[in-house]
Amino acid sequence: MKTLLIGPRSKMNLTHGMSMAFDLLETGFNERNLEYLVIDRSYKQSDVVVGSVFFSGIVQTLYLLLRVYLNLFLVDNIYITIGTSRAGLLKDALMIWPSWILNKRIVLHLHGGGLLSFYEQNPKFLKSLMQKTYGKSDILIVLGELLRNQFEYLEGYESKIRVVSNSLNIIPPNVQPKQINLKEPFRILYLSNLIPSKGYLDVLKTCHILFNKRDIPIHCDFCGAFISIVDGEIKQSAEEAEQFFFQRINEYNLNKAVTYHGVVRGDQKASLLESANVLILPTNYPWEGQPISIIEALAFGNPVISTPYRGIPEEVIDGYNGYLVEFGDIDQIVNKVEDMWNSPEQYNQMSKNAIIHYQEHFTREVHLNRLIPLITNESESIA
């Protein structure tokens, strides 16, 4: 049985959790010699604007739909990473309804959270469209038990929901638990796209307090792309966001304590994860689900400081493999980093626990062995 995989591939200048997961899925199909076709649904542009609609996107959408329709007759299973916007919903509907009419098996994958909030904010006719469209699916995949409610407005959704946690498209080396070297700076890592609601400016202010006020030797590596934001009356280009970021670094006198790497991949990413002591991701991003960057950190033995948001409490267990802090509470973040620095034995245990939690729940083998049979209908016994 041949499968049509519809989702976003990673780009050299931009990557995010959904594209990384889709890349891994394609790798899994190749490794298992399964028959499949791929349609990349990502935009072909370097500067992605969150919350805006591109004119060129209309042309790309028409091309996307044409490719989907031509390939529908060649496959048995349809796998779609669903959108979380009105434009995304419309595209989903224009792919799902023809698939349902042609009696294809439809698997929908929600890579994140925020779909329930999106549903509640819509007018009645769009709520009805979501109910009828996503109700045509055979399987609905979410990233964690805490995200099952994202489809609670669908009749009989419980029987369709399957939980498949995220994983990595890299195989970590033989990682050993980390120790704090008091002769070296405590290395903080921020690994996600630089969007304000992801908390990267809070991480920068945390570095300022630790380095300049608490006299704790730190070095922070920021990795990711600056993303343009359109939010009501607030408009900021990627260039403006980057300029403001470096302006703050100068104001905080952190030029020797902060390094910005841009988008990192492969050996460079692995090297940064190996050298890090802690990942900090204090996110409140509206579409957050189960950040892959947290899984990457755990895989390399890094404790994580994040927020009790969406699926994150299934990744970070407070006091076990990291800490959960309230969004925007910089003092909490500062205090948790200081606790790690002042408690080497406790830190070492957290590092051990990070590796254990990754190996038990988030390895690529666990992920692919559960996800691919759900897509290809090889076995429902694992569901």
Side-chain angles (χ1 to χ4, degrees):
M1 298 180 69
K2 187 174 287 188
T3 301
L4 179 61
L5 305 176
I6 305 172
R9 282 171 163 162
S10 294
K11 303 292 182 292
M12 287 304 297
N13 59 343
L14 179 65
T15 185
H16 48 76
M18 188 188 301
S19 63
M20 292 167 63
F22 192 73
D23 292 344
L24 174 58
L25 177 60
E26 190 173 350
T27 299
F29 267 74
N30 284 325
E31 290 174 348
R32 289 157 176 77
N33 295 315
L34 297 171
E35 288 191 275
Y36 73 99
L37 301 170
V38 170
I39 294 179
D40 183 359
R41 70 177 295 174
S42 60
Y43 282 112
K44 305 295 189 297
Q45 30 216 97
S46 59
D47 188 20
V48 177
V49 179
V50 178
S52 70
V53 179
F54 296 100
F55 173 76
S56 63
I58 297 174
V59 176
Q60 293 183 42
T61 297
L62 292 175
Y63 180 56
L64 165 70
L65 295 173
L66 176 62
R67 287 183 293 153
V68 171
Y69 297 154
L70 290 175
N71 284 290
L72 277 180
F73 299 96
L74 306 177
V75 299
D76 305 286
N77 305 302
I78 311 295
Y79 167 88
I80 302 173
T81 58
I82 62 176
T84 50
S85 66
R86 291 183 178 179
L89 170 60
L90 180 58
K91 281 188 283 188
D92 290 342
L94 292 172
M95 292 186 288
I96 291 169
W97 281 88
S99 302
W100 177 74
I101 291 171
L102 292 174
N103 199 32
K104 305 300 180 181
R105 185 170 177 276
I106 302 170
V107 179
L108 305 181
H109 200 160
L110 176 61
H111 277 282
L115 191 65
L116 179 59
S117 298
F118 171 65
Y119 171 82
E120 293 171 342
Q121 293 166 5
N122 275 321
K124 287 186 178 180
F125 78 96
L126 285 179
K127 288 181 179 178
S128 177
L129 179 61
M130 290 181 70
Q131 292 170 349
K132 293 177 180 178
T133 297
Y134 297 144
K136 302 301 181 190
S137 63
D138 295 281
I139 297 291
L140 296 165
I141 299 173
V142 296
L143 299 176
E145 294 292 338
L146 296 175
L147 297 170
R148 283 179 173 269
N149 67 337
Q150 297 299 305
F151 290 101
E152 67 180 19
Y153 47 85
L154 300 183
E155 184 177 353
Y157 78 99
E158 296 95 340
S159 64
K160 296 182 179 183
I161 291 284
R162 304 291 185 272
V163 175
V164 181
S165 295
N166 265 329
S167 188
L168 313 182
N169 204 7
I170 58 174
I171 301 175
N174 184 23
V175 177
Q176 299 299 317
K178 295 184 175 181
Q179 306 277 354
I180 291 179
N181 184 350
L182 297 177
K183 297 181 180 180
E184 298 289 336
F186 190 77
R187 297 195 71 97
I188 296 169
L189 179 63
Y190 176 91
L191 182 59
S192 190
N193 286 322
L194 283 82
I195 301 171
S197 60
K198 291 271 191 177
Y200 77 94
L201 292 174
D202 289 348
V203 176
L204 187 60
K205 191 167 184 179
T206 295
C207 294
H208 165 54
I209 295 172
L210 289 167
F211 188 75
N212 294 312
K213 298 183 178 182
R214 301 282 179 98
D215 293 324
I216 295 177
I218 57 98
H219 190 94
C220 186
D221 295 291
F222 284 85
C223 307
F226 286 93
I227 305 295
S228 298
I229 301 299
V230 177
D231 182 14
E233 297 300 316
I234 301 173
K235 298 183 179 181
Q236 186 180 48
S237 69
E239 291 77 13
E240 290 170 334
E242 184 172 357
Q243 184 179 11
F244 180 76
F245 177 71
F246 282 101
Q247 179 182 332
R248 279 296 178 90
I249 290 175
N250 289 328
E251 290 174 358
Y252 291 153
N253 194 26
L254 290 174
N255 292 284
K256 294 182 179 180
V258 169
T259 304
Y260 173 62
H261 300 270
V263 176
V264 295
R265 301 173 184 275
D267 292 340
Q268 184 185 11
K269 179 190 283 190
S271 177
L272 287 163
L273 286 162
E274 285 181 309
S275 62
N277 292 111
V278 62
L279 175 82
I280 305 181
L281 185 67
T283 178
N284 193 39
Y285 181 57
W287 309 117
E288 201 74 84
Q290 188 185 71
I292 288 181
S293 61
I294 290 180
I295 299 173
E296 291 173 326
L298 299 177
F300 281 80
N302 293 302
V304 176
I305 298 174
S306 191
T307 49
Y309 185 61
R310 299 282 165 72
I312 292 174
E314 294 180 86
E315 298 177 290
V316 182
I317 302 172
D318 190 46
Y320 175 74
N321 61 348
Y323 294 109
L324 296 175
V325 299
E326 293 303 314
F327 176 74
D329 194 328
I330 295 169
D331 288 340
Q332 279 193 30
I333 303 173
V334 169
N335 291 336
K336 296 306 182 185
V337 173
E338 189 170 22
D339 286 347
M340 290 183 180
W341 174 254
N342 290 327
S343 308
E345 291 185 6
Q346 181 179 345
Y347 171 84
N348 176 251
Q349 185 60 54
M350 279 191 168
S351 178
K352 292 178 183 177
N353 295 341
I355 297 169
I356 292 170
H357 196 57
Y358 163 75
Q359 292 174 343
E360 290 181 348
H361 299 282
F362 301 109
T363 65
R364 71 195 304 271
E365 291 77 16
V366 170
H367 173 80
L368 291 173
N369 287 341
R370 180 164 178 79
L371 178 59
I372 290 178
L374 291 175
I375 296 172
T376 60
N377 201 25
E378 291 176 18
S379 172
E380 276 289 342
S381 63
I382 64 171

